[in-house]
Amino acid sequence: MPETLTRPVRRPAAGGAASTSPAAPVAPPPARPLTPGDLAEVVFRHKWKVLLTPLLIMSAATAIILFAPRTYQSEAKLFLQVGRESVGLDPTATTGSTINLQQTGRDAEVVSAMEVLGSRGLIARVVDELGPDYVLRGGPAGEGPAESTITDALMAPPKWLINQLKSIDPVPAREEAIIQIEENLLIDSEKDSMVIVVQLDAETARGAQEMLATLVDLYKQEHLRIHRNPESQMFFAEQRKSLEKRLEEANEKVKTAKNRMGIASIEGRRMTLEGQLRVVEQEVYNTEQNLATAVARVDDLNKQLSTLPERMVASRKSVPNEGADLLRNQLYALQTRKMELKARYNDAHPLVKAISAQVDEAKKVVEDQSEQREETVDDVNPIHRELSLELKQQQSVMAGYQARLKTLDEQKKLIHGDLEQLNQHEIELDELDREVAIARGKYFKYAENLEQARIDQALEEERISSVSVPQPATRSEKPVSPSKLLVGLGAMLLAFGGTVSWVAASEHLNDRVRTTEDVETQLGVPVFAEVPKSKVHGRVLSS
C-alpha cells in the first residue's frame, strides 16, 4: 500500500481571511478491525526480523544438537522381598525383659530404602570406591567424547564463567564429585510397588553403568549392616544363659514343693481325691439305703416276735398213769393201817377216825385219776427262734451300717481336708508353675532369637539379604541428552514465539503515523484528503 501524506483542512476565518487554525476537536472514529492486508503490511515492514529470528534460533538449536556434551543414563531396579531385615531388635530390651519385634509397613520399608539409596554417606562411599576424578570425568580416562575445536570454542565461555563462579566458594574434588552424583541421581518407586527404580546420568555410558552398579552393591552391603546389630548374638547368648539358670531354679523349686507335698501333679492328685470322694459318697448313699432297709427289717421282726410264743408243744402221747398207781398203793397202805387200827381200837378212836378220813380222801383222789395220762414234750418255737436269729443278724447288720456310716463320714471329712490342702498346694504350685512358664517362654524366645541372630550373621557373611536386583545397572550407548526431539520442538516454539513477540513489541514501541486513523487519533481532527508520497507531490506540498 503506497504511503501518503495527509494534511489537515484549512477553514476560512471570520471576515474572509484564511486561517490555519485547526478545527474544533472531534471524537476519533472507532478503530477498524485488523485485516489480512494489515497483517501482511506488518510482516512486510518487519521482514528481516521475521527471517533472521527463526534462523538464529534454529542455528543455535542445531549447534546444541551437534556440539553439546552428551549425557548417558544407566538404570537399575531393586526388588525388596519380605525378609528378616523387616524385623528389628528393640534397643530398650534389657536382661530378663521381653524383646519387642516390630514389623514395619512395606511402604515405609520402600521409602526407607530410597532414603538410604540417596543418602550422602552412601554416595560418598561410591566416590571413595571409584575416585573423585573418575566421577568428575564421567567414566574411565580416555572414554569421554572426542575433542572438538568447535565444541571447545563454544563451551569455553560457559566453562570459564562456571569456573569463576566456583572459585568464589572452592570445594574439594571429592565434594564436587558427591554433588555431581546427587544432582544426576534419580530414585523413584510406583505406589504399592516393591520395585525401586534407580537412574544415574554421566558423560559416558560405561561410567554411568559402573557408578550405578557400585551404588547398588554398596547399598546391598549397607542394607545388611543397618538391619543387623553386631552385638545382638552376644546379647542373646548372655540372656539365654541367664534365663537357663533361672529356669533350672524355678524347676528345682517346683520339684522341692511337690516332694514336700507328696504329689506328682495337682491334676492327678485332684482326680484321685475326687474319685475317692465319689466312691465315699456313693458308699454313704448305699449304706444309708441299706441301713434304712435294716431298720425297717428289725422293726418288722420285732412286731412278728411280739405275736409269736417263745415255746410250743413238740409232741403228745398216752402212758400209764404212774401217779394214780402210786396213789392206789398209798390208799392200800392207808387201808391196811386202818384195818390195823380198827383191830386195836374202836371206831370212835381218834386214830381210827383220822385214818378213815385219810382213806376216804385217798379214795376220792384215786377215783379222779384215770388209768392213762397224756404226756407232752415242750420245745422252743422254731419260727420264733429263726425270727430271733434274723433279728440279731439284722441288728448286727444295722450296727455295721451305722459304724460304716460313721467311718465313711470321717473319711469324707479327711478327703475334704485333703482337697482343701490340695487347693492351697495348687495355689503355691500354680505360682511356681507360672514362674517356670515365664522362665521357659523367655528362655525359648531368647534361644530362638539367638539362633535367628546366628542365621542373620551367616547371611550377612554370605552377603544374602532381602534385596534382589531384577535389573542390574544397564549400559545404554544412546545419550539421553541433549534430546534432538525436545531441542527441535523447543527451537520451533521459541522461533515462532520469539518472532511474534519481537514484531509485536516493535509495533507497540513504534510511534510513527502511517494511516489516516493514526492522524485522526493523534490530532483529533478529521482527514478529508490524502496526498501520495512521491517526489512530485512532495514538491507541491513544499511550495
Side-chain angles (χ1 to χ4, degrees):
M1 182 177 184
E3 295 185 359
T4 59
L5 297 177
T6 60
R7 293 289 187 271
V9 179
R10 295 174 181 264
R11 300 175 183 231
S19 175
T20 60
S21 301
V26 296
R32 62 184 181 84
L34 193 65
T35 62
D38 297 334
L39 293 177
E41 181 184 359
V42 172
V43 172
F44 181 78
R45 282 199 307 268
H46 300 280
K47 54 184 174 295
W48 296 111
K49 296 184 182 71
V50 173
L51 293 175
L52 294 178
T53 300
L55 181 61
L56 292 175
I57 293 175
M58 296 304 295
S59 299
T62 304
I64 292 173
I65 294 174
L66 294 176
F67 303 109
R70 273 24 179 189
T71 301
Y72 297 87
Q73 186 178 83
S74 179
E75 182 183 82
K77 294 183 179 180
L78 305 179
F79 178 70
L80 296 182
Q81 307 177 60
V82 178
R84 295 181 177 86
E85 290 82 357
S86 303
V87 182
L89 172 63
D90 186 358
T92 60
T94 56
T95 303
S97 300
T98 302
I99 292 178
N100 295 323
L101 296 178
Q102 298 176 346
Q103 176 71 33
T104 59
R106 299 292 287 155
D107 294 339
E109 188 175 353
V110 172
V111 173
S112 301
M114 293 172 63
E115 291 179 355
V116 175
L117 271 168
S119 64
R120 186 178 181 83
L122 190 62
I123 294 174
R125 290 181 60 186
V126 174
V127 174
D128 295 337
E129 184 80 16
L130 299 175
D133 294 337
Y134 184 98
V135 176
L136 294 176
R137 284 194 307 267
E143 290 199 9
E147 296 183 359
S148 173
T149 305
I150 300 175
T151 303
D152 292 341
L154 293 174
M155 297 301 297
K159 287 183 178 179
W160 178 85
L161 180 60
I162 292 173
N163 291 331
Q164 293 300 318
L165 293 175
K166 288 182 178 180
S167 64
I168 298 175
D169 295 316
V171 294
R174 181 176 182 272
E175 181 68 18
E176 188 176 354
I178 293 174
I179 295 173
Q180 180 173 321
I181 293 180
E182 287 179 339
E183 292 176 350
N184 296 324
L185 181 63
L186 177 63
I187 304 172
D188 193 16
S189 176
E190 295 292 336
K191 185 179 180 181
D192 298 331
S193 174
M194 297 297 106
V195 177
I196 300 175
V197 180
V198 188
Q199 296 175 346
L200 181 63
D201 297 340
E203 294 182 5
T204 63
R206 180 179 175 184
Q209 181 186 25
E210 290 184 356
M211 284 188 284
L212 184 57
T214 304
L215 178 67
V216 171
D217 292 340
L218 291 177
Y219 168 71
K220 292 175 68 177
Q221 299 176 16
E222 190 71 7
H223 183 80
L224 287 170
R225 185 188 66 80
I226 64 179
H227 287 93
R228 297 291 183 273
N229 187 347
E231 299 179 356
S232 62
Q233 185 173 356
M234 182 182 300
F235 170 76
F236 285 125
E238 293 176 355
Q239 292 293 321
R240 190 192 68 168
K241 184 176 180 180
S242 174
L243 290 173
E244 183 178 6
K245 182 178 179 181
R246 182 176 175 182
L247 178 60
E248 291 176 356
E249 292 176 354
N251 285 326
E252 185 64 26
K253 289 181 181 179
V254 172
K255 183 178 70 174
T256 303
K258 288 184 176 180
N259 292 336
R260 174 171 51 83
M261 298 172 186
I263 59 176
S265 67
I266 291 294
E267 292 301 323
R269 180 62 174 167
R270 185 182 299 279
M271 291 178 62
T272 300
L273 291 177
E274 289 179 350
Q276 293 177 356
L277 184 61
R278 285 194 296 270
V279 171
V280 169
E281 289 178 347
Q282 185 64 36
E283 287 295 325
V284 169
Y285 178 75
N286 294 335
T287 304
E288 288 178 348
Q289 285 186 334
N290 294 332
L291 179 61
T293 303
V295 170
R297 183 60 179 166
V298 168
D299 292 340
D300 182 65
L301 290 174
N302 286 326
K303 290 180 180 179
Q304 293 184 25
L305 288 174
S306 63
T307 59
L308 291 175
E310 186 176 357
R311 302 183 67 82
M312 62 179 298
V313 178
S315 61
R316 294 176 182 273
K317 63 180 180 178
S318 296
V319 296
N321 194 346
E322 294 179 355
D325 293 339
L326 183 58
L327 289 176
R328 289 189 184 92
N329 292 332
Q330 290 179 355
L331 178 60
Y332 179 74
L334 288 174
Q335 289 175 350
T336 303
R337 179 67 178 169
K338 180 180 177 181
M339 290 178 61
E340 288 179 355
L341 290 176
K342 280 184 177 184
R344 292 179 185 179
Y345 304 105
N346 56 22
D347 293 336
H349 191 275
L351 292 174
V352 175
K353 289 183 179 180
I355 196 68
S356 297
Q358 290 180 356
V359 170
D360 293 334
E361 244 351 275
K363 285 182 180 181
K364 291 180 181 180
V365 173
V366 170
E367 290 176 357
D368 292 333
Q369 298 294 326
S370 61
E371 294 295 332
Q372 299 290 331
R373 66 180 182 84
E374 189 177 48
E375 186 179 53
T376 60
V377 178
D378 194 7
D379 197 0
V380 178
N381 191 345
I383 298 176
H384 189 281
R385 181 178 57 192
E386 290 178 2
L387 293 176
S388 297
L389 290 175
E390 186 177 356
L391 177 61
K392 296 298 182 181
Q393 292 176 353
Q394 291 298 326
Q395 289 176 344
S396 177
V397 170
M398 185 174 64
Y401 287 147
Q402 291 174 347
R404 184 175 180 81
L405 282 176
K406 184 177 181 181
T407 303
L408 291 174
D409 186 62
E410 293 176 356
Q411 291 179 355
K412 190 175 181 180
K413 291 180 180 179
L414 290 175
I415 294 174
H416 280 295
D418 291 341
L419 284 173
E420 292 177 0
Q421 187 178 14
L422 182 64
N423 291 332
Q424 295 296 329
H425 291 165
E426 183 179 15
I427 295 174
E428 182 179 352
L429 286 178
D430 189 45
E431 294 177 356
L432 295 176
D433 287 338
R434 280 199 300 270
E435 293 181 5
V436 172
I438 293 173
R440 183 182 292 110
K442 290 182 178 180
Y443 172 76
F444 285 117
K445 188 63 177 178
Y446 276 85
E448 181 181 355
N449 290 335
L450 175 59
E451 186 63 25
Q452 187 68 49
R454 290 175 180 171
I455 295 173
D456 292 345
Q457 184 177 5
L459 291 175
E460 184 175 3
E461 292 174 355
E462 296 294 332
R463 301 299 182 189
I464 300 174
S465 70
S466 63
V467 178
S468 61
V469 185
Q471 177 182 303
T474 60
R475 181 173 178 174
S476 175
E477 298 296 339
K478 181 180 180 180
V480 293
S481 68
S483 174
K484 299 178 180 62
L485 179 61
L486 292 179
V487 172
L489 291 176
M492 287 189 292
L493 292 176
L494 183 60
F496 178 77
T499 303
V500 173
S501 299
W502 194 2
V503 171
S506 299
E507 284 293 313
H508 180 72
L509 296 176
N510 191 354
D511 57 355
R512 294 179 62 184
V513 177
R514 295 185 179 85
T515 63
T516 57
E517 287 83 1
D518 295 338
V519 174
E520 291 177 351
T521 301
Q522 296 291 332
L523 300 179
V525 295
V527 176
F528 294 101
E530 295 182 4
V531 179
K533 185 178 180 181
S534 66
K535 294 180 179 180
V536 177
H537 293 89
R539 286 194 300 269
V540 172
L541 291 173
S542 62
S543 60

